[in-house]
Amino acid sequence: MAIRFGDCRFDVDARQLFRAGVEVHLSPKAFELLRILVENRPRALSKSDLLDRVWSGVFVSEASLARTINEVRDGVGENGGPRIIRTVHGYGYAFAADAASEASTQRAVLPGRRPVGWLRCGAREFALWEGEQIAGRDLDLGICLDSPKVSRQHARIVARDSTLTIEDLQSKNGTFVRGVRIAGTTALAPGDQIQIGSFTLVVGVDAAPGPTETQVT
């Protein structure tokens, strides 16, 4: 599994962390601590829980945990930048950054479904396919927007008969199109901006090929 947050790419399987395209080398304990926080996001984990998981069977003080947290913060470029690791005072820590799974950034081919367009979110791109797609926080969704401000199944996008629509799925924070919170099914057009949590997605539509022109000789 690989996720992107801020200017970082964190690949658990390859055991690599990149920031701004440059690999950052974390100690084994710091890498494991970041992995645990990422995989349990946005839930806060207690200090005792983290000590048990990262230093299993070994007695260490909370000072070791604090030093390792600082190593993670340095590695992801938090110092002087946006908050990524949240301190829960008197309790523990949590991963607080907006993140997207690597699989969500690919326009992979879906057998039997016709591509109709795309959604651009910064440097990322999500394919739009004929039929129904769900946008939300669940990692197995085609449009995965991993943030605590996004509901697990936040909005439904439907492409059918040359029309594209979006419907909010009773999300907690709502779905906005062209700056207006929608209530019900709303039509989408090329260039429209969709706001879901802290994510802005711009609609693009694949143009159908026009008729063949007659060559004049």
Side-chain angles (χ1 to χ4, degrees), residues 83-126:
R83 183 179 63 177
I84 294 173
I85 307 300
R86 177 170 63 93
T87 299
V88 184
H89 294 287
Y91 183 76
Y93 302 93
F95 186 87
D98 291 342
S101 63
E102 183 85 334
S104 300
T105 67
Q106 306 299 322
R107 295 184 73 181
V109 175
L110 297 182
R113 297 181 67 182
R114 181 175 63 88
V116 297
W118 61 89
L119 295 174
R120 285 203 176 95
C121 182
R124 293 179 287 138
E125 187 175 282
F126 303 97

Side-chain angles (χ1 to χ4, degrees), residues 129-133 156-160 163-167:
W129 301 89
E130 193 172 45
E132 176 183 301
Q133 289 170 265
R156 177 187 293 112
I157 298 175
V158 178
R160 187 173 291 119
T163 64
L164 191 64
T165 61
I166 187 169
E167 175 190 3

